[in-house]
Amino acid sequence: MTGRERPGVRLPQLKLDELLEELQARIDAARGTRDRVHSLLEAVLSVGRELELEQALHSIVEAAAALVDAEYAALGVIGPDGTTLAAFHTVGLSEERIAEIGPYPEGHGILGELIRHPEPLRLSKLSAHPSSYGFPAGHPPMNTFLGVPIRVRDQVFGNLYLTEKRGGADFDEEDESVLATLAVAAGVAIDNARLYEDSRLRERWLLANAEIGHSLMSGSERAEALDLIAERAREITGSALAAVAMPMPDTEALGVEIAVGAQSDAHRGLVLPLDRSLMGLAFTAAAPVTSDDAAHDSRVGQDPPRFDGLGPAVAVPIGTGEGGVRGVLLLARESDRSVFSDKETEMLRGFAAQAAIAMELAERRQAAQQIALLEDRDRIARDLHDLAIQRLFATGMTLQSAGRFIEHPEASERVLRAVDDLDETIKIIRSTIFGLRAREGAAASGLRARVVRVAGEAAPVLGFAPSVRMEGLVDTDVPGEIADHVVAVLSESLTNIARHAHADRAEVLLAADGHEVRLRVRDNGVGIPSGGRRSGLRNMAERAERLGGSLDVGKTAGGGATLEWRVPLPAS
C-alpha cells in the first residue's frame, strides 16, 4: 500500500440503486398523498359552496368519482319510508344510456344492502356478493364497487356508490377513507342546502300571506282572495290542482268555489259531502288529511271522476279548530310525483291559518265599515224625521190654516193642492227613512242550500247520493219564484230516476250566468222508454213554458237519460 492510497468503504452499486428507488417511491407516495389531500380539500370546499340542494348532490357525485378515480358514480337518496330510493343522481352515464336502461333503481340488491346496513362496503366483484341483484338490459358491466353512507346529523340521507376503478384495480382502504371523509362533508353541505331551501320556501309562504292580506284589506272580493290563495299554494308546492271549498249555509256540505289547474273544471262548483271527500274530512277534523293516491282512495267518492292523472293530495283547513274552520284548501300533484311530506303539510297548515286570520281581519273591517254606514243612515233618518218632516208638517198646517182666509177659489184650490203635495212628500220621506233603517237580510232565496237539501233527501230513495255541481251566482241571480220552480223540477227529476231509471249514478248541475238559469239532471240508467207515462215531464215542460223557457230530454252517452231545464232570468 502506497502513501497515496487510503482505506475506505465501498458500497455495492446495486444496493445503492435500491435505496434511491425506495426513496423516490416514498417521495412519490408522499407527493401523491399530498395531491390527494389537496384534491379532497378542494372537493370539500366545492361541495360546501353549493346552496341549491340538487346542485349540491350533483357536485358530491362528481367529486366522489374524481377522488377515487371511478368510472361510474351515483348518489341514492333514501325515501321517507327508509327502505327505498326516492332519487338517484349519476355520473359517467350518458342521457341516451340512462334512457336505454330504463327507470332508476329503487334500492334492491347491493344498493338495498347499504340501505339496510349503512356501513362502508368494498367489493372486488359485485356479482359474487349474496345480495347481488343483477343488472337490467343495456346496463354497462360493473365489477369493483365501493359504497359509503351519507349522514345528515343523526339520519342516513343516502349512499354514495362508486364502481369500476380505472386501470382495473380494486378500491383500497385509502379510497374508502377518502370517500368516508367526503361523505361527512357532503352531509354538512346537504344539511346547509336543506336549511337554505327551507328558509327560501318559508320566505315564499310569507310573501304569499302578505299578498293575500294586502288584497283582502284593500277591499278585494272574497272570490279574488280565495283564487289568490289557491294559485299561490299551487305554485309554491308544485301541485297540478288547487281548489278551495267553503261551507254551505244550512247544509252538511262544502261547495267548491275556486279550482285552478288540472281537472279544475271537474271540481269547480261541486258540492262535497263531509264524510266522503278529503276536503270534508279535513273540515270535520279541523286538521290536514293526506292521500298517497286520491284517484283510488277509498275515503274519496269518485262520482263524478275528478282526479284523472292525479295522485298525491292533501286537504288543509283554512283556520283552526279554536277559531273555527272557514274553508278547506285542496292540493293534488300528478300521479308520478312525490307525496306531500310532513314538513310541506305543516307549512301549508301555517299558510292556511294565516290566510284565515287575514280573512277574519278583512271581515271585521268590512263589518266596522257596515256599522259606520248604518250609523250614518240612522243619523240621516233621524235628521229627516226630526227636522225635515216636522218642518214640512208645520208648513202644511200653516198653508191649510191660511187657506181658510183665501176667498179666490182658484188660489184656495192651489193652496190645498200644495198641502196634498206636502203630505205626499212626507210619506216619501218616511218610506226613505224606513229603507235607511232596514237591515240587510240574508241572501234572498237560498237556492244553493235548497238544492243540496233536495239532493240529500233523495239519496235514501235513490240508494246513492247524487253528485251536485253549481256554477255562477245562483242565490243572487235567481229570483224566488223561479227558484221555487227549480226546486220542484229537481225533486220531480230525482223521483223519476228513483222510480224508473234503475241507475246507480246521477249528476245534478245548476248554473246561472245572469241571462238564464239551467238545471241539468243526468243518470246512467235504462233511459226513458217510448210510450211510457210522461206526466212528470209534461209538468216540468209547462213550468218552463210559463216562464218563457224550455225542457229538453235526451239520451246520455253510455246509457241513461239527460234532462235539461232552461228559463231566462229577468233583466237586472
Side-chain angles (χ1 to χ4, degrees):
M1 178 181 298
T2 65
R4 295 181 180 179
E5 293 178 350
R6 298 192 178 189
V9 179
R10 292 178 176 273
L11 292 176
Q13 186 68 33
L14 182 60
K15 189 172 183 181
L16 181 59
D17 291 342
E18 290 176 354
L19 289 173
L20 290 174
E21 289 177 2
E22 182 179 350
L23 179 60
Q24 184 63 45
R26 293 192 178 188
I27 291 173
D28 292 341
R31 185 180 291 114
T33 301
R34 181 201 63 186
D35 293 342
R36 199 163 199 188
V37 169
H38 286 169
S39 298
L40 177 59
L41 290 175
E42 289 177 2
V44 169
L45 291 174
S46 174
V47 168
R49 280 194 294 265
E50 299 293 345
L51 287 177
E52 296 288 345
L53 182 58
E54 291 298 312
Q55 187 59 44
L57 297 178
H58 189 71
S59 297
I60 291 168
V61 181
E62 288 184 331
L67 283 173
V68 299
D69 203 21
E71 185 174 355
Y72 305 108
L75 191 157
V77 180
I78 299 176
D81 59 2
T83 61
T84 58
L85 297 177
F88 209 70
H89 302 264
T90 63
V91 166
L93 291 173
S94 65
E95 294 294 332
E96 293 76 12
R97 177 59 69 90
I98 292 174
E100 183 182 347
I101 294 172
Y104 282 119
E106 297 179 355
H108 303 294
I110 298 296
L111 306 188
E113 182 71 17
L114 267 173
I115 295 175
R116 292 186 294 272
H117 306 289
E119 299 293 338
L121 178 63
R122 275 188 294 128
L123 300 173
S124 298
K125 195 169 185 60
L126 270 169
S127 58
H129 194 279
S131 298
S132 179
Y133 196 77
F135 296 108
H139 199 285
M142 295 180 179
N143 292 301
T144 56
F145 175 86
L146 173 60
V148 295
I150 297 176
R151 286 183 169 83
V152 177
R153 300 185 184 182
D154 296 329
Q155 180 185 4
V156 178
F157 174 83
N159 296 298
L160 276 171
Y161 310 109
L162 288 301
T163 60
E164 292 301 287
K165 187 175 178 68
R166 298 183 190 276
D170 290 343
F171 294 105
D172 55 25
E173 291 183 5
E174 188 174 342
D175 292 327
E176 181 180 321
S177 178
V178 168
L179 203 59
T181 304
L182 177 66
V184 173
V188 175
I190 290 168
D191 193 28
N192 289 338
R194 290 167 84 178
L195 291 173
Y196 176 70
E197 192 176 70
D198 286 350
S199 67
R200 290 188 61 187
L201 190 58
R202 291 183 189 279
E203 181 183 6
R204 292 185 69 187
W205 283 122
L206 289 174
L207 289 174
N209 276 128
E211 185 180 5
I212 292 164
H214 176 74
S215 174
L216 284 166
M217 298 305 290
S218 62
S220 297
E221 296 293 330
R222 187 181 74 166
E224 295 179 24
L226 295 180
D227 187 71
L228 192 57
I229 290 172
E231 282 285 5
R232 293 296 174 267
R234 185 172 74 95
E235 291 170 5
I236 295 174
T237 60
S239 300
L241 166 72
V244 178
M246 306 297 284
M248 301 185 67
D250 303 324
T251 64
E252 294 293 320
L254 298 174
V256 180
E257 297 190 10
I258 301 294
V260 293
Q263 298 293 322
S264 57
D265 291 340
H267 281 81
R268 192 179 298 114
L270 273 179
V271 176
L272 300 174
L274 297 182
D275 59 341
R276 288 186 297 105
S277 63
L278 290 181
M279 300 177 100
L281 294 173
F283 181 85
T284 303
V289 177
T290 59
S291 173
D292 293 348
D293 185 4
H296 302 92
D297 196 318
S298 60
R299 299 170 297 172
V300 180
Q302 300 300 329
D303 185 22
R306 56 190 184 277
F307 288 104
D308 292 344
L310 302 177
V314 60
V316 181
I318 300 175
T320 61
E322 294 80 7
V325 178
R326 294 176 170 270
V328 180
L329 169 65
L330 171 75
L331 296 169
R333 289 173 173 156
E334 290 91 347
S335 56
D336 58 349
R337 293 286 305 281
S338 61
V339 299
F340 288 88
S341 65
D342 293 340
K343 183 180 295 184
E344 286 181 305
T345 302
E346 191 61 32
M347 287 187 178
L348 268 172
R349 190 173 190 177
F351 168 73
Q354 290 296 320
I357 293 173
M359 292 171 66
E360 182 175 355
L361 289 174
E363 288 174 4
R364 292 190 177 185
R365 177 172 171 269
Q366 291 174 355
Q369 292 176 340
Q370 185 70 15
I371 290 173
L373 176 63
L374 292 174
E375 288 177 348
D376 200 38
R377 287 180 176 180
D378 285 342
R379 180 187 59 78
I380 294 171
R382 190 164 53 249
D383 289 346
L384 286 172
H385 183 273
D386 295 344
L387 300 176
I389 288 182
Q390 297 302 324
R391 289 190 178 186
L392 289 172
F393 187 75
T395 301
M397 293 289 292
T398 301
L399 288 173
Q400 194 172 19
S401 298
R404 294 198 297 267
F405 301 102
I406 299 175
E407 297 179 356
H408 195 284
E410 187 175 347
S412 177
E413 183 181 351
R414 287 187 178 184
V415 168
L416 291 176
R417 196 158 54 240
V419 171
D420 291 340
D421 289 342
L422 286 174
D423 287 339
E424 189 65 28
T425 302
I426 290 172
K427 290 179 182 179
I428 293 173
I429 292 176
R430 280 177 172 164
S431 176
T432 302
I433 291 172
F434 179 79
L436 285 171
R437 287 177 171 171
R439 303 288 181 177
E440 292 185 2
S445 61
L447 180 56
R448 285 179 180 270
R450 294 174 68 186
V451 167
V452 173
R453 193 177 301 114
V454 169
E457 291 171 352
V461 182
L462 290 167
F464 58 88
S467 68
V468 180
R469 184 196 307 276
M470 299 188 200
E471 298 175 359
L473 302 176
V474 173
D475 285 342
T476 305
D477 289 348
V478 183
E481 180 187 358
I482 296 178
D484 292 340
H485 287 287
V486 169
V487 172
V489 171
L490 175 61
S491 178
E492 181 74 20
S493 301
L494 294 177
T495 300
N496 287 343
I497 292 174
R499 289 177 177 173
H500 311 296
H502 304 291
D504 58 15
R505 190 173 71 235
E507 301 173 4
V508 176
L509 170 66
L510 177 63
D513 59 5
H515 303 289
E516 70 171 7
V517 59
R518 177 167 59 99
L519 175 67
R520 187 183 70 200
V521 183
R522 176 183 294 167
D523 67 75
N524 66 341
V526 298
I528 300 176
S530 59
R533 294 182 60 187
R534 294 177 176 260
S535 56
L537 294 176
R538 186 167 55 251
N539 290 337
M540 296 180 209
E542 289 174 355
R543 287 179 182 273
E545 290 169 1
R546 283 200 300 269
L547 298 172
S550 63
L551 172 71
D552 294 317
V553 180
K555 295 182 179 179
T556 301
T562 298
L563 178 147
E564 193 155 305
W565 190 85
R566 294 171 177 265
V567 167
L569 294 172
S572 56

